[in-house]
Amino acid sequence: MNKKKLTLKILLFLIFTDCLETLIQFCFKKSAATGIDFNVSSIANALTFLKLTLFSPYLWIGLITVFLVFIIWSTILSKIDLSVAVPLASFSYILVPLVSVIFLHEKIPALRWVGICFIIIGIIFVSRSSKEKEALL
Amino acid sequence: MIKPQLFLIISLIVLTSACDTIAQLFLKKSINKLNFETHGIKKILSSIGRLLLTPRVYLGGMFSLLSLSIWLYVLSKADLNFAFSLDSMHYIFIAVGSVVFLKEKVGFTRWIGTISIVIGITLVALS
């Protein structure tokens, strides 16, 4: 477990996991938006919600992707620290806006650009920290 | 009427983050204890197989499932942007958990990076 260096290969796998993760979120949002107002106080209502969600193909596509992510994610975790892998997985927060700018020509508010910059700076710091031999503290 | 509702949603998001962090910690702990081989897909799959025989992984999986259920409920109730902005504190939980339970060395640079990412995600989600 001494091979904790972050390589380009691991980074690419992390980005791939992020893409899949985005797909999962999309599928789950789709399966949860059944048009029924989920209400815990009414059992009948909760059951209808559960039924609609369980029979949604989106839920199952999402679940299969979850297992795929589990395999890739475990492999990544065997190589690097958890406190490096998780922050680096925030790549999707940059990926989605960038894709929507380049391919969908969406306008992005200034505040979001500031946020994206913060995330990029954070990712650079975190990835550098895994290359250092000893932590500074 | 709105205030207790909002409080409930916020508590649930914190709970999801906490459950997800615990799940990740269990998974990483099992992988650390396992001799995880990554040369070739065959070795990876056999490592995954051995990983799936570890009880700790299922403990983590249960927390993951719990986290997912709460998250699905939150998504059906709350605004996606609001939910994601609050979920960013998950990164802080992970960093603290890694130090306490996995004995990872989180140095100054990594803390700065993590906090910067949290600020960034909050801004992206709320803008």
Side-chain angles (χ1 to χ4, degrees):
Chain A
M1 260 143 276
N2 284 322
K3 23 170 196 181
K4 275 178 186 160
K5 261 195 152 174
L6 177 76
T7 60
L8 186 65
K9 207 165 129 192
I10 297 178
L11 197 65
L12 286 178
F13 268 114
L14 266 168
I15 295 171
F16 181 58
T17 322
D18 268 340
C19 298
L20 292 180
E21 203 81 57
T22 312
L23 178 71
I24 292 171
Q25 289 296 340
F26 171 78
C27 287
F28 284 159
K29 175 67 186 174
K30 272 276 192 185
S31 70
T34 48
I36 285 186
D37 189 29
F38 186 63
N39 190 350
V40 257
S41 57
S42 144
I43 296 172
N45 179 288
L47 279 179
T48 323
F49 176 83
L50 207 66
K51 209 180 102 192
L52 279 175
T53 305
L54 282 178
F55 282 103
S56 160
Y58 285 109
L59 181 78
W60 296 101
I61 298 172
L63 285 179
I64 292 167
T65 319
V66 165
F67 190 67
L68 192 63
V69 164
F70 173 75
I71 295 176
I72 305 173
W73 184 243
S74 304
T75 313
I76 293 170
L77 280 189
S78 73
K79 293 277 186 191
I80 54 174
D81 276 355
L82 185 67
S83 53
V84 171
V86 172
L88 289 192
S90 63
F91 227 91
S92 60
Y93 287 93
I94 314 171
L95 224 57
V96 176
L98 283 188
V99 165
S100 52
V101 160
I102 296 168
F103 294 105
L104 305 172
H105 304 288
E106 274 180 20
K107 282 231 167 94
I108 289 188
L111 193 61
R112 192 167 300 172
W113 281 118
V114 177
I116 290 172
C117 289
F118 265 105
I119 298 175
I120 293 174
I121 293 168
I123 286 176
I124 293 172
F125 269 76
V126 171
S127 49
R128 297 210 86 184
S129 79
S130 82
K131 282 179 179 145
E132 285 163 13
K133 256 203 142 181
E134 268 295 321
L136 280 170
L137 277 180
Chain B
M1 271 313 269
I2 282 186
K3 281 254 163 97
Q5 178 80 322
L6 190 68
F7 181 73
L8 176 74
I9 292 289
I10 292 174
S11 327
L12 284 177
I13 295 174
V14 173
L15 197 62
T16 333
S17 290
C19 286
D20 198 42
T21 305
I22 295 169
Q24 293 287 352
L25 289 173
F26 273 127
L27 180 65
K28 176 65 172 162
K29 191 90 179 172
S30 329
I31 291 172
N32 280 351
K33 294 212 165 184
L34 206 76
N35 182 25
F36 201 102
E37 290 172 279
T38 50
H39 298 284
I41 291 178
K42 244 182 167 173
K43 286 250 173 84
I44 290 178
L45 286 180
S46 87
S47 301
I48 293 286
R50 278 187 292 130
L51 186 63
L52 288 177
L53 291 175
T54 324
R56 208 185 259 112
V57 168
Y58 292 96
L59 215 55
M62 256 145 61
F63 276 101
S64 223
L65 216 61
L66 190 62
S67 161
L68 175 65
S69 327
I70 304 170
W71 186 238
L72 275 179
Y73 175 69
V74 168
L75 284 191
S76 74
K77 279 278 183 198
D79 182 48
L80 191 65
N81 294 338
F82 175 71
F84 266 108
S85 71
L86 264 179
D87 194 51
S88 64
M89 73 184 122
H90 163 228
Y91 294 90
I92 305 287
F93 286 171
I94 286 281
V96 173
S98 300
V99 171
V100 175
F101 297 105
L102 302 171
K103 309 276 176 274
E104 283 178 12
K105 288 198 179 87
V106 178
F108 184 66
T109 318
R110 201 173 295 176
W111 273 117
I112 294 286
T114 307
I115 290 166
S116 177
I117 289 173
V118 171
I119 295 172
I121 290 174
T122 312
L123 287 178
V124 166
L126 290 181
S127 64

